[in-house]
C-alpha cells in the first residue's frame, strides 16, 4: 500500500483528471526545434536506427522494425503505425 500511495503522488493533476492512478517513470520530454531539412533527416535517422544499435538490437535491418516509420521513409511502405 505504501508503494501504491507513493506512485499515486507522482501523478500530475491533469493526468489525474483523465483517470491516471499511478506514475511509474519520471516524466521527460526532450524536444528539439528542427531548423532545416538536414536536422530533420538527422533526427529521423537517429530514431530509425536506434532499435538496431547498442543494447537494443531488436532487429537486423532498421526498416523491418514493425513499430517504426523507417519502412515508410526508406522503402515507401506503409504499416499499421504509418497511415
Amino acid at each position: 500500500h505504501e508503494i501504491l500511495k507513493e506512485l499515486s503522488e507522482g501523478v500530475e493533476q491533469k493526468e489525474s483528471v483523465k483517470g491516471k492512478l499511478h506514475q511509474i517513470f519520471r516524466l521527460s520530454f526532450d524536444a528539439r526545434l528542427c531548423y532545416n531539412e538536414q536536422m530533420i533527416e538527422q533526427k529521423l535517422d537517429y530514431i530509425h536506427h536506434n532499435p538496431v544499435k547498442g543494447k537494443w538490437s531488436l532487429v537486423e535491418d532498421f526498416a523491418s522494425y514493425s513499430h517504426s516509420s523507417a519502412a515508410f521513409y526508406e522503402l515507401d511502405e506503409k504499416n499499421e503505425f504509418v497511415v
Side-chain angles (χ1 to χ4, degrees):
H1 292 300
E2 290 177 36
I3 293 173
L4 289 175
K5 182 179 183 289
E6 186 175 336
L7 294 175
S8 68
E9 291 171 355
V11 177
E12 293 182 0
Q13 177 64 30
K14 64 182 179 180
E15 296 296 319
S16 179
V17 171
K18 293 189 244 179
K20 187 172 189 175
L21 300 177
H22 305 98
Q23 181 65 42
I24 306 296
F25 299 103
R26 203 176 301 150
L27 296 176
S28 68
F29 185 71
D30 197 18
R32 296 285 185 259
L33 186 59
C34 293
Y35 298 101
N36 55 39
E37 187 174 338
Q38 179 185 2
M39 191 170 183
I40 292 170
E41 289 179 13
Q42 176 191 29
K43 299 306 175 193
L44 281 173
D45 191 50
Y46 171 80
I47 291 167
H48 289 155
H49 285 87
N50 200 35
V52 297
K53 290 188 176 179
K55 66 178 181 179
W56 299 113
S57 295
L58 299 173
V59 291
E60 292 286 324
D61 175 23
F62 73 98
S64 66
Y65 183 55
S66 61
H67 297 282
S68 175
S69 59
F72 174 77
Y73 290 102
E74 298 293 322
L75 309 171
D76 199 29
E77 294 177 2
K78 293 183 179 181
N79 63 25
E80 63 182 299
F81 301 105
V82 179
V83 192

PDB file of all heavy atoms in Angstrom, residues 8 10-12 14-25 27:
ATOM      1  N   SER A   8       0.997   7.019  -6.636  1.00  0.00           N
ATOM      2  CA  SER A   8      -0.162   7.878  -6.917  1.00  0.00           C
ATOM      3  C   SER A   8       0.174   9.354  -6.676  1.00  0.00           C
ATOM      4  O   SER A   8      -0.389  10.231  -7.318  1.00  0.00           O
ATOM      5  CB  SER A   8      -1.372   7.462  -6.084  1.00  0.00           C
ATOM      6  OG  SER A   8      -1.155   7.716  -4.718  1.00  0.00           O
ATOM      7  N   GLY A  10       2.825  10.760  -7.561  1.00  0.00           N
ATOM      8  CA  GLY A  10       3.568  11.237  -8.715  1.00  0.00           C
ATOM      9  C   GLY A  10       2.710  11.607  -9.917  1.00  0.00           C
ATOM     10  O   GLY A  10       3.208  12.105 -10.908  1.00  0.00           O
ATOM     11  N   VAL A  11       1.407  11.392  -9.829  1.00  0.00           N
ATOM     12  CA  VAL A  11       0.501  11.688 -10.946  1.00  0.00           C
ATOM     13  C   VAL A  11       0.185  13.181 -10.956  1.00  0.00           C
ATOM     14  O   VAL A  11      -0.246  13.746  -9.956  1.00  0.00           O
ATOM     15  CB  VAL A  11      -0.804  10.865 -10.834  1.00  0.00           C
ATOM     16  CG1 VAL A  11      -1.763  11.226 -11.961  1.00  0.00           C
ATOM     17  CG2 VAL A  11      -0.498   9.385 -10.840  1.00  0.00           C
ATOM     18  N   GLU A  12       0.419  13.818 -12.100  1.00  0.00           N
ATOM     19  CA  GLU A  12       0.092  15.238 -12.244  1.00  0.00           C
ATOM     20  C   GLU A  12      -1.422  15.422 -12.257  1.00  0.00           C
ATOM     21  O   GLU A  12      -2.171  14.533 -12.664  1.00  0.00           O
ATOM     22  CB  GLU A  12       0.687  15.794 -13.532  1.00  0.00           C
ATOM     23  CG  GLU A  12       2.196  15.828 -13.527  1.00  0.00           C
ATOM     24  CD  GLU A  12       2.754  16.435 -14.793  1.00  0.00           C
ATOM     25  OE1 GLU A  12       1.976  16.839 -15.689  1.00  0.00           O
ATOM     26  OE2 GLU A  12       3.991  16.506 -14.892  1.00  0.00           O
ATOM     27  N   LYS A  14      -3.440  17.145 -14.191  1.00  0.00           N
ATOM     28  CA  LYS A  14      -4.104  16.992 -15.494  1.00  0.00           C
ATOM     29  C   LYS A  14      -4.241  15.523 -15.894  1.00  0.00           C
ATOM     30  O   LYS A  14      -5.179  15.145 -16.568  1.00  0.00           O
ATOM     31  CB  LYS A  14      -3.397  17.788 -16.585  1.00  0.00           C
ATOM     32  CG  LYS A  14      -1.996  17.330 -16.882  1.00  0.00           C
ATOM     33  CD  LYS A  14      -1.354  18.205 -17.941  1.00  0.00           C
ATOM     34  CE  LYS A  14       0.059  17.719 -18.197  1.00  0.00           C
ATOM     35  NZ  LYS A  14       0.733  18.516 -19.198  1.00  0.00           N
ATOM     36  N   GLU A  15      -3.303  14.684 -15.471  1.00  0.00           N
ATOM     37  CA  GLU A  15      -3.390  13.254 -15.753  1.00  0.00           C
ATOM     38  C   GLU A  15      -4.378  12.576 -14.816  1.00  0.00           C
ATOM     39  O   GLU A  15      -5.063  11.629 -15.196  1.00  0.00           O
ATOM     40  CB  GLU A  15      -2.004  12.605 -15.627  1.00  0.00           C
ATOM     41  CG  GLU A  15      -0.997  13.109 -16.634  1.00  0.00           C
ATOM     42  CD  GLU A  15      -1.388  12.765 -18.059  1.00  0.00           C
ATOM     43  OE1 GLU A  15      -1.871  11.636 -18.291  1.00  0.00           O
ATOM     44  OE2 GLU A  15      -1.219  13.616 -18.940  1.00  0.00           O
ATOM     45  N   SER A  16      -4.446  13.045 -13.593  1.00  0.00           N
ATOM     46  CA  SER A  16      -5.385  12.507 -12.612  1.00  0.00           C
ATOM     47  C   SER A  16      -6.827  12.711 -13.069  1.00  0.00           C
ATOM     48  O   SER A  16      -7.671  11.829 -12.911  1.00  0.00           O
ATOM     49  CB  SER A  16      -5.163  13.186 -11.263  1.00  0.00           C
ATOM     50  OG  SER A  16      -6.064  12.703 -10.304  1.00  0.00           O
ATOM     51  N   VAL A  17      -7.092  13.865 -13.661  1.00  0.00           N
ATOM     52  CA  VAL A  17      -8.430  14.180 -14.178  1.00  0.00           C
ATOM     53  C   VAL A  17      -8.831  13.189 -15.265  1.00  0.00           C
ATOM     54  O   VAL A  17      -9.993  12.826 -15.394  1.00  0.00           O
ATOM     55  CB  VAL A  17      -8.481  15.637 -14.703  1.00  0.00           C
ATOM     56  CG1 VAL A  17      -9.768  15.921 -15.441  1.00  0.00           C
ATOM     57  CG2 VAL A  17      -8.280  16.615 -13.559  1.00  0.00           C
ATOM     58  N   LYS A  18      -7.843  12.720 -16.034  1.00  0.00           N
ATOM     59  CA  LYS A  18      -8.105  11.755 -17.105  1.00  0.00           C
ATOM     60  C   LYS A  18      -8.230  10.326 -16.582  1.00  0.00           C
ATOM     61  O   LYS A  18      -8.473   9.409 -17.335  1.00  0.00           O
ATOM     62  CB  LYS A  18      -6.986  11.811 -18.147  1.00  0.00           C
ATOM     63  CG  LYS A  18      -6.918  13.102 -18.925  1.00  0.00           C
ATOM     64  CD  LYS A  18      -5.934  12.945 -20.068  1.00  0.00           C
ATOM     65  CE  LYS A  18      -4.772  13.874 -19.899  1.00  0.00           C
ATOM     66  NZ  LYS A  18      -3.780  13.739 -20.965  1.00  0.00           N
ATOM     67  N   GLY A  19      -8.023  10.140 -15.275  1.00  0.00           N
ATOM     68  CA  GLY A  19      -8.194   8.817 -14.689  1.00  0.00           C
ATOM     69  C   GLY A  19      -6.905   8.071 -14.391  1.00  0.00           C
ATOM     70  O   GLY A  19      -6.938   6.919 -13.967  1.00  0.00           O
ATOM     71  N   LYS A  20      -5.775   8.718 -14.595  1.00  0.00           N
ATOM     72  CA  LYS A  20      -4.498   8.058 -14.311  1.00  0.00           C
ATOM     73  C   LYS A  20      -4.322   7.933 -12.806  1.00  0.00           C
ATOM     74  O   LYS A  20      -4.507   8.892 -12.066  1.00  0.00           O
ATOM     75  CB  LYS A  20      -3.341   8.859 -14.913  1.00  0.00           C
ATOM     76  CG  LYS A  20      -2.017   8.166 -14.798  1.00  0.00           C
ATOM     77  CD  LYS A  20      -0.955   8.914 -15.588  1.00  0.00           C
ATOM     78  CE  LYS A  20       0.321   8.110 -15.646  1.00  0.00           C
ATOM     79  NZ  LYS A  20       1.308   8.768 -16.497  1.00  0.00           N
ATOM     80  N   LEU A  21      -3.970   6.742 -12.348  1.00  0.00           N
ATOM     81  CA  LEU A  21      -3.867   6.485 -10.910  1.00  0.00           C
ATOM     82  C   LEU A  21      -2.429   6.483 -10.392  1.00  0.00           C
ATOM     83  O   LEU A  21      -2.181   6.843  -9.238  1.00  0.00           O
ATOM     84  CB  LEU A  21      -4.516   5.137 -10.571  1.00  0.00           C
ATOM     85  CG  LEU A  21      -6.002   5.001 -10.925  1.00  0.00           C
ATOM     86  CD1 LEU A  21      -6.471   3.594 -10.610  1.00  0.00           C
ATOM     87  CD2 LEU A  21      -6.811   6.034 -10.183  1.00  0.00           C
ATOM     88  N   HIS A  22      -1.480   6.063 -11.220  1.00  0.00           N
ATOM     89  CA  HIS A  22      -0.105   5.917 -10.755  1.00  0.00           C
ATOM     90  C   HIS A  22       0.881   6.402 -11.809  1.00  0.00           C
ATOM     91  O   HIS A  22       0.619   6.275 -13.011  1.00  0.00           O
ATOM     92  CB  HIS A  22       0.201   4.454 -10.426  1.00  0.00           C
ATOM     93  CG  HIS A  22      -0.757   3.873  -9.455  1.00  0.00           C
ATOM     94  ND1 HIS A  22      -1.834   3.111  -9.853  1.00  0.00           N
ATOM     95  CD2 HIS A  22      -0.818   3.951  -8.109  1.00  0.00           C
ATOM     96  CE1 HIS A  22      -2.524   2.749  -8.783  1.00  0.00           C
ATOM     97  NE2 HIS A  22      -1.932   3.241  -7.716  1.00  0.00           N
ATOM     98  N   GLN A  23       2.017   6.939 -11.369  1.00  0.00           N
ATOM     99  CA  GLN A  23       3.097   7.357 -12.258  1.00  0.00           C
ATOM    100  C   GLN A  23       4.324   6.520 -11.916  1.00  0.00           C
ATOM    101  O   GLN A  23       4.852   6.626 -10.817  1.00  0.00           O
ATOM    102  CB  GLN A  23       3.404   8.848 -12.079  1.00  0.00           C
ATOM    103  CG  GLN A  23       4.501   9.358 -12.977  1.00  0.00           C
ATOM    104  CD  GLN A  23       4.128   9.298 -14.444  1.00  0.00           C
ATOM    105  OE1 GLN A  23       3.002   9.634 -14.813  1.00  0.00           O
ATOM    106  NE2 GLN A  23       5.039   8.858 -15.276  1.00  0.00           N
ATOM    107  N   ILE A  24       4.744   5.683 -12.854  1.00  0.00           N
ATOM    108  CA  ILE A  24       5.873   4.791 -12.617  1.00  0.00           C
ATOM    109  C   ILE A  24       7.193   5.457 -13.003  1.00  0.00           C
ATOM    110  O   ILE A  24       8.122   5.509 -12.220  1.00  0.00           O
ATOM    111  CB  ILE A  24       5.726   3.471 -13.407  1.00  0.00           C
ATOM    112  CG1 ILE A  24       4.380   2.797 -13.111  1.00  0.00           C
ATOM    113  CG2 ILE A  24       6.887   2.545 -13.140  1.00  0.00           C
ATOM    114  CD1 ILE A  24       4.192   2.342 -11.696  1.00  0.00           C
ATOM    115  N   PHE A  25       7.262   5.977 -14.225  1.00  0.00           N
ATOM    116  CA  PHE A  25       8.503   6.553 -14.725  1.00  0.00           C
ATOM    117  C   PHE A  25       8.500   8.066 -14.580  1.00  0.00           C
ATOM    118  O   PHE A  25       7.445   8.705 -14.627  1.00  0.00           O
ATOM    119  CB  PHE A  25       8.699   6.192 -16.202  1.00  0.00           C
ATOM    120  CG  PHE A  25       8.779   4.709 -16.420  1.00  0.00           C
ATOM    121  CD1 PHE A  25       7.704   4.006 -16.923  1.00  0.00           C
ATOM    122  CD2 PHE A  25       9.933   4.015 -16.104  1.00  0.00           C
ATOM    123  CE1 PHE A  25       7.770   2.641 -17.115  1.00  0.00           C
ATOM    124  CE2 PHE A  25      10.014   2.644 -16.291  1.00  0.00           C
ATOM    125  CZ  PHE A  25       8.927   1.963 -16.801  1.00  0.00           C
ATOM    126  N   LEU A  27       8.633  11.687 -15.744  1.00  0.00           N
ATOM    127  CA  LEU A  27       8.230  12.318 -16.993  1.00  0.00           C
ATOM    128  C   LEU A  27       9.409  13.076 -17.590  1.00  0.00           C
ATOM    129  O   LEU A  27      10.156  13.745 -16.875  1.00  0.00           O
ATOM    130  CB  LEU A  27       7.069  13.288 -16.752  1.00  0.00           C
ATOM    131  CG  LEU A  27       5.764  12.674 -16.252  1.00  0.00           C
ATOM    132  CD1 LEU A  27       4.738  13.761 -15.967  1.00  0.00           C
ATOM    133  CD2 LEU A  27       5.222  11.693 -17.260  1.00  0.00           C
TER     134      LEU A  27
END
